[in-house]
Amino acid sequence: LDHWARRYIEGIFVAGITSGCGPGVYCPARSLSRAEMAVLLLTAEHGSAYAPPAPTGTIFTDVPVDHWAGAFIEALAAEGVTSGCGGGNYCPDNLITRAEMAVFLLAAEHGSGLTPPAPTGTVFGDVPVDHWAAAYIEVLAAEGITTGCGAGDYCPDSPVSRAEMAVFLTLTFGLPLIALSRMLRNIGYP
């Protein structure tokens, strides 16, 4: 009950964005893969009933037609949110970094045509003006989606945890915060 992201995690569960990482668990400290991110991001953007078109297996060389997240990864590319990780690949098993997440979140929220203003390099101590994702990271902060990772830093190269992802999704897409545990107690659940 005292987990720092509990309300966000419960909110995305109630919204149907995730069912967790196993029966009755969310795995908040576990880092998120690029494949998992595609599923969570598109479900948060389009709603729990969203079903992407069937995958073709021809968009990224490392995402075959039978990849468990292939449909979501290809839909992410079709929306212009990603062009992959280079060399015709998507790198579905790589952990998603906080810098990459800033770009993915804003492209999904605002569309692929988003051109963020030039960065200042003054928002976070570890994101200089010439960082490849500085403009996106600064927009994420300006929109109130992140305050960083602490001590004035953003930690752009750190992997995104499942708990952080719940917060990013909730704030980016304006999802309601739900105290599921309180709701369950109110109806008499132990």
Side-chain angles (χ1 to χ4, degrees), residues 58-154:
T58 61
I59 307 299
F60 298 109
T61 58
D62 59 350
V63 182
V65 70
D66 61 348
H67 188 282
W68 70 269
F72 285 90
I73 293 167
E74 290 187 12
L76 206 62
E79 288 188 13
V81 175
T82 187
S83 58
C85 62
N89 293 319
Y90 178 76
C91 304
D93 298 325
N94 286 8
L95 300 180
I96 186 96
T97 68
R98 290 173 55 88
E100 292 169 324
M101 183 54 64
V103 176
F104 279 115
L105 286 169
L106 292 172
E109 179 188 21
H110 297 288
S112 61
L114 171 69
T115 303
T120 65
T122 61
V123 177
F124 295 110
D126 60 350
V127 183
V129 69
D130 61 348
H131 186 281
W132 71 269
Y136 290 91
I137 292 167
E138 290 186 9
V139 169
L140 211 61
E143 290 188 359
I145 296 169
T146 188
T147 57
C149 62
D153 288 339
Y154 179 75

Side-chain angles (χ1 to χ4, degrees), residues 19 23 29 50 104 142 152:
S19 58
Y50 175 70
F104 279 115

Side-chain angles (χ1 to χ4, degrees), residues 1 3 16 18 22 35 38 41 49 56 65 69 93 108 112-113 127 136-137 147 155 166 177 181 183 186-187:
L1 289 177
H3 190 279
T18 185
L41 184 63
T56 65
V65 70
D93 298 325
S112 61
V127 183
Y136 290 91
I137 292 167
T147 57
C155 304
L177 287 175
S181 52
M183 288 173 34
N186 287 344
I187 61 170

